[in-house]
């Protein structure tokens, strides 16, 4: 791994620690090489929102909007992140 790669990994590890340890998120591991890996894991998002008390209509609408915002075809990564 190059120096830049190590630096990026260290930054990612710090962000993971913040989300997990401070904000209570569950870290599911590195899915970089996972078959069927997607930017948005709709089943996990739906289950999380259901546990938090959102109704099915709101969940479906939120997932639809998130999928539309995350569509990156024809845009830069920066533009896609802004939309999301």
């Amino acid at each position: 791994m190059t120096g830049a790669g190590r630096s990026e990994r260290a930054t990612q590890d710090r962000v993971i620690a913040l989300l997990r340890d401070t904000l209570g998120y569950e870290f599911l591991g590195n899915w970089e090489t996972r078959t069927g890996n997607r930017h948005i894991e709709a089943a996990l998002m739906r289950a999380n929102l259901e546990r938090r008390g959102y109704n099915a209509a709101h969940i479906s609408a939120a997932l639809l909007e998130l999928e539309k915002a995350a569509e990156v075809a024809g845009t830069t990564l920066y533009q896609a992140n802004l939309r999301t």
Side-chain angles (χ1 to χ4, degrees), residues 40 42 46 57-71:
I40 299 167
R46 182 176 298 281
H58 285 132
I59 293 170
S60 294
L63 287 172
L64 178 63
E65 289 300 314
L66 185 58
E67 290 281 355
K68 286 192 316 191
E71 177 57 48

Side-chain angles (χ1 to χ4, degrees), residues 4-72:
R6 282 190 295 274
S7 175
E8 182 177 350
R9 180 74 252 166
T11 299
Q12 291 170 353
D13 290 341
R14 286 193 305 273
V15 170
I16 290 166
L18 170 72
L19 292 170
R20 183 191 59 225
D21 302 338
T22 304
L23 300 176
Y25 283 80
E26 178 183 0
F27 180 58
L28 301 174
N30 183 352
W31 287 6
E32 183 177 357
T33 59
R34 180 175 153 255
T35 302
N37 195 21
R38 303 194 60 223
H39 296 304
I40 299 167
E41 297 289 339
L44 294 174
M45 178 71 83
R46 182 176 298 281
N48 177 280
L49 293 173
E50 286 171 351
R51 279 193 309 274
R52 294 169 53 199
Y54 290 91
N55 69 44
H58 285 132
I59 293 170
S60 294
L63 287 172
L64 178 63
E65 289 300 314
L66 185 58
E67 290 281 355
K68 286 192 316 191
E71 177 57 48
V72 295

